[in-house]
Amino acid sequence: MNVEFINPFITALVNVVGMMGHTELTSEKPQIKDNVVSMGDISGLIGMVGQKTKGSLSITFEKSLALRIMQRMLGEKKKQIDEDVIDMIGEITNMVSGGAKNDLSKKGYEFDMATPVIVSGSRHTIDHIHDGHVIIIPFSSDSGKAFIEICFD
Amino acid sequence: MNVEFINPFITALVNVVGMMGHTELTSEKPQIKDNVVSMGDISGLIGMVGQKTKGSLSITFEKSLALRIMQRMLGEKKKQIDEDVIDMIGEITNMVSGGAKNDLSKKGYEFDMATPVIVSGSRHTIDHIHDGHVIIIPFSSDSGKAFIEICFD
């Protein structure tokens, strides 16, 4: 998997969270997920199917960050992850994968996306079952961490 | 979503866990996921993309059931969900969705599957973001519960 493929996902997440959630995410160096574990409290997952390949994308947020984005986006200060926060992360996941899909389409990568699934649960981890590598991109912010993980066979 | 579409997933899970995991799963009545919450400790998720539709599938296991299947399948008695259990649930997810895909293909439903993603975390919940209904099918066994959730737009 090359940088050309990963960058649209990074750009899309930074833009969506920046513009809608008024929160600046700083991306760290993408790395092959080996011993790195991304742990978070709410994740958006989306399956991707192309003509020649298939893959999966996950975007994981720490609770503090998800709740802060919620507050800045909708003005609601929540103490726990509830249905509204789940919907918001679903929307962010949709926008990130949609944005990246458009960008990648211009570069000749075509794929379709399945419906997103949101996982909520304190300190869960995610494993992509795959034949290739999983690339993990950590993000930092003033309110907690986020991680993108992308895998394509 | 009609019964013709759901049954192959039920049959596939009962067969895979029965044959490979030597554990009998009894399926309860499929229902529309409304106020029902399926909570579990390890889940396999898979995105599905068809020409006219897209959807997502999740199979969630309680820890006690996942560890029992592991023990009966591979003879290893584990106390915690580890990499081997994650791989096994990945394999089960692959086999269930592959089996259902074959069955559904014979009935004229064609779709492609994304790579599976496994979520591990104590008492997590799953929300499918969708335009239609989510169907949930609970399963009981001698070692704990499992749930299939299917959604198609």
Side-chain angles (χ1 to χ4, degrees):
Chain A
M1 212 185 310
N2 61 30
V3 176
E4 199 183 33
F5 195 86
I6 297 163
N7 280 342
F9 292 95
I10 300 177
T11 307
L13 182 64
V14 170
N15 284 347
V16 168
V17 171
M19 285 189 296
M20 290 179 56
H22 308 291
T23 299
E24 188 181 345
L25 291 185
T26 306
S27 69
E28 295 166 23
K29 199 173 155 27
Q31 50 195 302
I32 291 173
K33 189 182 183 185
D34 223 343
N35 298 315
V36 199
V37 173
S38 70
M39 196 173 264
D41 308 302
I42 183 161
S43 294
L45 295 100
I46 202 154
M48 300 183 287
V49 175
Q51 280 207 308
K52 289 179 191 164
T53 183
K54 55 186 182 163
S56 51
L57 165 76
S58 59
I59 311 176
T60 297
F61 297 85
E62 288 185 336
K63 179 178 157 185
S64 55
L65 175 56
L67 296 183
R68 187 58 63 92
I69 295 171
M70 183 76 196
Q71 190 191 349
R72 289 174 177 160
M73 197 161 141
L74 299 171
E76 285 182 74
K77 196 167 182 175
K78 308 254 185 191
K79 286 191 175 157
Q80 297 300 333
I81 289 168
D82 65 4
E83 220 170 292
D84 295 334
V85 179
I86 288 169
D87 284 347
M88 179 195 74
I89 298 296
E91 190 55 38
I92 290 175
T93 306
N94 257 330
M95 292 178 73
V96 170
S97 53
K101 179 175 155 53
N102 281 347
D103 255 25
L104 288 167
S105 170
K106 289 176 197 156
K107 291 176 181 164
Y109 299 98
E110 295 283 355
F111 57 89
D112 286 317
M113 298 180 308
T115 45
V117 175
I118 307 301
V119 175
S120 331
S122 185
R123 299 178 65 73
H124 64 259
T125 56
I126 286 176
D127 285 83
H128 299 256
I129 306 292
H130 58 95
D131 293 335
H133 287 305
V134 178
I135 305 292
I136 178 168
I137 306 131
F139 295 85
S140 56
S141 77
D142 63 356
S143 310
K145 286 181 190 168
F147 301 89
I148 284 181
E149 293 184 26
I150 308 171
C151 111
F152 264 92
D153 273 0
Chain B
M1 213 184 311
N2 61 30
V3 176
E4 198 183 34
F5 195 87
I6 296 164
N7 279 342
F9 291 96
I10 300 177
T11 307
L13 182 63
V14 170
N15 284 347
V16 167
V17 171
M19 285 190 296
M20 290 179 56
H22 309 291
T23 299
E24 188 181 345
L25 290 185
T26 307
S27 69
E28 295 166 23
K29 199 174 155 29
Q31 51 195 301
I32 291 173
K33 189 182 183 185
D34 223 344
N35 299 314
V36 200
V37 173
S38 69
M39 197 174 263
D41 308 302
I42 182 161
S43 294
L45 295 100
I46 201 154
M48 300 182 287
V49 176
Q51 280 206 308
K52 290 178 191 167
T53 184
K54 55 186 182 163
S56 52
L57 165 76
S58 59
I59 310 175
T60 297
F61 297 85
E62 288 184 337
K63 179 179 157 184
S64 54
L65 176 55
L67 296 184
R68 187 58 63 90
I69 294 171
M70 184 77 197
Q71 190 191 347
R72 289 175 177 159
M73 197 161 141
L74 298 172
E76 287 181 72
K77 195 167 182 175
K78 307 255 184 190
K79 287 192 175 157
Q80 298 299 333
I81 289 168
D82 65 4
E83 220 169 291
D84 294 335
V85 180
I86 288 169
D87 284 347
M88 180 195 73
I89 298 296
E91 190 55 39
I92 290 175
T93 306
N94 257 331
M95 292 179 73
V96 170
S97 52
K101 179 175 155 53
N102 281 347
D103 256 25
L104 288 168
S105 170
K106 288 176 197 156
K107 291 176 180 164
Y109 299 98
E110 295 283 355
F111 57 88
D112 286 316
M113 298 180 309
T115 44
V117 175
I118 307 301
V119 175
S120 331
S122 185
R123 299 177 67 72
H124 64 259
T125 56
I126 286 176
D127 285 82
H128 299 256
I129 306 293
H130 58 96
D131 293 334
H133 287 305
V134 179
I135 305 292
I136 178 167
I137 305 131
F139 295 84
S140 55
S141 77
D142 64 356
S143 309
K145 287 182 189 167
F147 302 89
I148 285 181
E149 293 184 25
I150 309 172
C151 111
F152 264 91
D153 274 0

